[in-house]
């Protein structure tokens, strides 16, 4: 028992260390762009300013994703109105004893049920769920822009240096200095990161398009099929477009009543059970806001 506890403690600290380590790497990557500050090429100055902005944005997104509530389910019993459909909704989490909406999943690392849990991210040191997925996607997006900008700065800077230098290219490459060592290291890191981050971003875009979390994709299930813009607003919030680009809190109207569907129902003409349960134009119907308010009032108590 004691060993298990220690193991979780080590994992907890490891998560924090990874988070700080990645932030240090971003700042260092930004610092390496200063090697060309004496260059006469104006494009390098514009790119450096862009890299600085991307770095600030990605750090803000990473921190917000890390400290935000990913969508913890605090409801201990089935909401009264859903009791009527209880064979579909009567589920309790065996680990944390919470009522478990169909699209919630228990995270063993966080020890709680998370609504629309996608995965537990070690780089963020938090779960990625309904309430913080926006920050995570933006983090990946700005990280990709940042590393591509840094790559552009180094490529242009190195070419410019070679063109101005009268020495042979091979002899320049072979003589090692601390500056060159840093440039080589950052290029290797950028190469690895570009592949990993592009793949992660693509996975997230696919998850939003299909309204399917990583957990549901393993279980071969998915949320209701609807147009991309509706799925997008479920993650990025239904508000002015510029909020979609900033790490501001998304205005979300999540639906605890939403159920997960089997693959066979995958078409746009299907009548969804939620449509019957859940009609915004009819106030007599079940509305998510009630559950969400319940949840937040419990959080404050
Ligand atoms: Zn649970
Ligand atoms: Zn977690």
């Amino acid at each position: 028992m004691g060993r298990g506890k220690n193991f979780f403690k080590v994992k907890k600290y490891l998560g924090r260390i990874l988070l700080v380590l990645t932030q240090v790497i971003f700042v260092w990557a930004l610092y390496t762009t200063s090697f060309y500050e004496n260059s006469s090429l104006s494009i390098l100055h514009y790119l450096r300013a862009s890299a600085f902005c991307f770095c600030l944005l990605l750090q803000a997104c990473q921190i917000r994703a890390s400290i935000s509530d990913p969508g913890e389910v605090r409801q201990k019993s089935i909401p009264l109105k859903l009791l009527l459909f209880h064979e579909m909704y009567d589920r309790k989490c065996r680990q944390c004893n919470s009522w478990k909406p169909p699209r919630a999943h228990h995270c063993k690392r966080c020890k709680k049920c998370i609504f629309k849990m996608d995965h537990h991210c070690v780089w963020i040191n938090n779960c990625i769920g309904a309430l913080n997925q926006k920050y995570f996607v933006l983090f990946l997006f700005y990280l990709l822009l940042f590393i591509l900008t840094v790559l552009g700065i180094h490529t242009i800077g190195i070419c410019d240096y070679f063109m101005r230098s009268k020495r042979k290219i091979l002899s320049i490459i072979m003589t090692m200095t601390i500056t060159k060592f840093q440039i080589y290291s950052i290029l290797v890191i950028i190469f690895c990161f570009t592949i990993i981050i592009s793949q992660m971003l693509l996975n997230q875009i696919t998850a939003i398009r299909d309204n399917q979390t990583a957990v549901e994709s393993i279980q071969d299930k998915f949320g209701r099929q609807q147009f991309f813009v509706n799925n997008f607003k479920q993650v990025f919030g239904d508000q002015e477009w510029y909020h979609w680009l900033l790490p501001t809190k998304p205005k979300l109207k999540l639906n605890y009543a939403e159920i997960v569907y089997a693959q066979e129902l995958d078409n746009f003409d299907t009548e969804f059970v939620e449509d019957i349960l859940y009609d915004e134009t009819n106030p007599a119907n079940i509305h998510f806001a009630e559950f969400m308010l319940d949840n937040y009032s419990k959080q404050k108590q």
Side-chain angles (χ1 to χ4, degrees):
M1 190 69 189
R3 243 183 102 190
K5 258 189 182 172
N6 281 340
F7 182 62
F8 270 109
K9 246 186 187 174
V10 170
K11 272 192 164 179
K12 199 171 127 189
Y13 286 116
L14 196 71
R16 282 179 198 167
I17 291 166
L18 273 178
L19 182 74
V20 174
L21 185 74
T22 48
Q23 295 259 335
V24 171
I25 292 176
F26 303 145
V27 174
W28 169 58
L30 190 66
Y31 162 72
T32 63
T33 63
S34 67
F35 298 155
Y36 314 103
E37 67 186 349
N38 296 327
S39 169
S40 54
L41 293 173
S42 58
I43 186 164
L44 281 179
H45 301 295
Y46 290 122
L47 285 175
R48 281 191 66 204
S50 310
F52 180 75
C53 295
F54 293 145
C55 190
L56 278 184
L57 281 164
L58 80 90
Q59 287 188 311
C61 293
Q62 191 187 22
I63 291 167
R64 280 217 83 167
S66 173
I67 59 174
S68 297
D69 169 19
E72 183 188 349
V73 179
R74 293 183 177 88
Q75 189 107 16
K76 290 290 172 198
S77 56
I78 316 170
L80 213 56
K81 288 177 182 176
L82 283 181
L83 267 175
L84 298 169
F85 305 88
H86 93 78
E87 71 282 3
M88 208 178 293
Y89 292 105
D90 188 8
R91 297 198 315 155
K92 243 187 181 186
C93 175
R94 280 189 212 142
Q95 277 101 341
C96 68
N97 216 28
S98 289
W99 168 65
K100 203 170 170 185
R103 293 201 75 182
H105 188 78
H106 184 87
C107 174
K108 283 182 184 141
R109 296 280 291 277
C110 302
K111 296 194 187 100
K112 48 197 172 191
C113 275
I114 309 291
F115 187 58
K116 286 197 196 168
M117 176 188 166
D118 191 76
H119 67 290
H120 186 97
C121 181
V122 285
W123 303 102
I124 298 289
N125 194 30
N126 198 2
C127 253
I128 305 302
L131 298 181
N132 68 348
Q133 194 179 7
K134 175 194 167 180
Y135 307 131
F136 182 64
V137 178
L138 280 181
F139 163 65
L140 295 177
F141 174 67
Y142 286 121
L143 179 54
L144 193 62
L145 286 181
F146 175 66
I147 54 183
L148 292 178
T149 312
V150 173
L151 181 67
I153 292 169
H154 282 295
T155 310
I156 295 170
I158 291 166
C159 290
D160 182 46
Y161 180 75
F162 281 149
M163 281 198 283
R164 283 188 292 117
S165 175
K166 292 186 175 70
R167 287 160 61 201
K168 282 187 178 158
I169 289 177
L170 199 66
S171 76
I172 300 173
I173 294 173
M174 295 307 279
T175 47
M176 190 59 88
T177 60
I178 293 174
T179 306
K180 276 186 203 165
F181 177 74
Q182 291 196 63
I183 292 174
Y184 296 150
S185 313
I186 205 73
L187 289 179
V188 171
I189 291 175
I190 284 175
F191 179 73
C192 302
F193 262 50
T194 308
I195 296 169
I196 299 168
I197 302 304
S198 309
Q199 189 55 50
M200 285 171 82
L201 187 59
L202 196 68
N203 288 348
Q204 286 298 313
I205 293 168
T206 315
I208 295 171
R209 185 201 65 195
D210 296 343
N211 192 12
Q212 184 187 46
T213 65
V215 172
E216 287 160 0
S217 100
I218 295 165
Q219 297 168 339
D220 218 13
K221 289 173 176 172
F222 60 95
R224 64 179 305 169
Q225 296 302 284
Q226 52 193 6
F227 292 111
F228 181 80
V229 63
N230 297 333
N231 287 333
F232 178 83
K233 283 179 181 174
Q234 274 190 7
V235 174
F236 278 73
D238 196 357
Q239 57 213 105
E240 289 82 9
W241 65 269
Y242 55 85
H243 283 286
W244 297 337
L245 295 170
L246 298 169
T248 52
K249 197 172 182 202
K251 261 189 203 160
L252 296 172
K253 209 160 82 180
L254 306 177
N255 177 3
Y256 274 14
E258 195 180 339
I259 59 174
V260 277
Y261 293 88
Q263 212 73 44
E264 299 85 66
L265 278 170
D266 189 3
N267 74 66
F268 278 85
D269 300 321
T270 313
E271 193 171 292
F272 288 93
V273 185
E274 303 144 59
D275 290 337
I276 308 159
L277 291 178
Y278 207 83
D279 178 7
E280 277 186 51
T281 54
N282 179 1
N285 263 315
I286 294 161
H287 200 283
F288 160 76
E290 288 175 48
F291 312 141
M292 219 40 200
L293 285 173
D294 262 16
N295 221 11
Y296 282 128
S297 63
K298 282 192 178 96
Q299 185 183 3
K300 278 178 193 156
Q301 276 166 20

